[in-house]
């Protein structure tokens, strides 16, 4: 009985964190995977809750030891998903949600065909710029880097299965909850989860 892997991507400032936090409060059987990063901690962030903040030496060491499910350089810093945590949760039947950039999502796509890929897009580029400016977490240089990167990230949209256009936060939360629940209710997944293949003449669509 394996859990489902949900992969969420979208440009910086689009509202991923707010959508994910509220969704996880509503849906209890999905856990968030906390990433490692070399980016400096922001004042409101908590070690182990938002990220594991590590230095470049430690991060490279973790790459060497194959401790990441995926990793990427995003806006000039390293970010990576700890492999052990995700694999253990999935094996134990817990679903896991990743908030990672598009490069990382592409890497995961090559490894987990069965994962669910969701892109969160802004209603417009101007809205994205305004949100990033209002958030006030980036200096001017980083803000412009993130906006430049956003253009590239949007070009990856066709690789994803679902898209949520975050115009209105509550609506986006409802949409993410709907996607999560709909995936849990797919016949193939229910048959897998409950081990019901033997009750169906055609094996219940089991892939060997
Ligand atoms: P921020 O610095 O704003 O927290 O995150 C910047 C970007 O890095 C976001 O797009 C976020 O999705 C991405 N990110 C966070 N963790 C990971 C990770 O483990 N792997 C990858 N590839 N991207 C990540």
């Amino acid at each position: 009985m394996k859990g489902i892997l949900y992969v969420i991507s979208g440009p910086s400032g689009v509202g991923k964190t707010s959508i994910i936090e509220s969704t996880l409060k509503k849906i209890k059987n999905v856990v968030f995977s906390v990433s490692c990063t070399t980016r400096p901690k922001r004042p409101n962030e908590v070690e182990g809750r938002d990220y594991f903040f590590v230095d470049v030496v430690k991060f490279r060491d973790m790459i060497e030891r194959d401790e990441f499910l995926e990793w990427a350089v995003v806006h000039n810093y390293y970010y990576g998903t700890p492999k052990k945590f995700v694999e253990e949760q999935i094996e134990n039947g817990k679903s896991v949600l990743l908030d990672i950039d598009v490069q990382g999502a592409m890497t995961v796509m090559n490894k987990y065909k069965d994962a669910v890929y969701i892109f969160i897009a802004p209603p417009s580029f101007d809205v994205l710029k305004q949100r990033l400016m209002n958030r006030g977490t980036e200096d001017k240089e980083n803000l412009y880097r993130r906006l430049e990167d956003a253009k590239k990230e949007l070009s990856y949209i066709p690789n994803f299965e679902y898209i949520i256009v975050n115009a209105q936060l509550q609506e986006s939360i409802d949409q993410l909850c709907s996607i999560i629940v709909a995936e849990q209710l797919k016949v193939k997944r229910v048959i897998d989860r409950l081990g019901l293949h033997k009750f169906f003449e055609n094996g219940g669509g089991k892939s060997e």
Side-chain angles (χ1 to χ4, degrees), residues 169-180:
L169 179 63
Q170 191 52 51
E171 200 178 327
S172 300
I173 296 164
D174 291 344
Q175 289 176 351
L176 183 55
C177 288
S178 302
I179 294 168
I180 291 174

Side-chain angles (χ1 to χ4, degrees), residues 8-13 16-17 33-37 39 42 45 50-51 59 68 70-75 77-82 98-105 135 137-138 146 153:
I8 300 190
S9 290
S12 179
K16 278 173 296 180
T17 308
S33 160
V34 179
S35 296
C36 294
T37 185
R39 162 169 80 58
R42 294 176 187 144
E45 288 180 324
D50 299 287
Y51 284 105
F59 198 100
F68 291 118
E70 61 73 37
W71 64 270
V73 176
V74 191
H75 319 311
Y77 294 105
Y78 283 109
Y79 292 81
T81 304
L98 308 184
D99 168 356
I100 61 176
D101 89 307
V102 289
Q103 307 167 73
R135 197 169 81 173
T137 53
E138 310 305 320
R146 282 172 183 251
E153 287 171 291

Side-chain angles (χ1 to χ4, degrees), residues 157-169:
I157 288 174
N159 294 293
F160 287 75
E161 288 174 277
Y162 292 100
I163 181 161
I164 293 173
V165 177
N166 185 26
Q168 208 275 323
L169 179 63

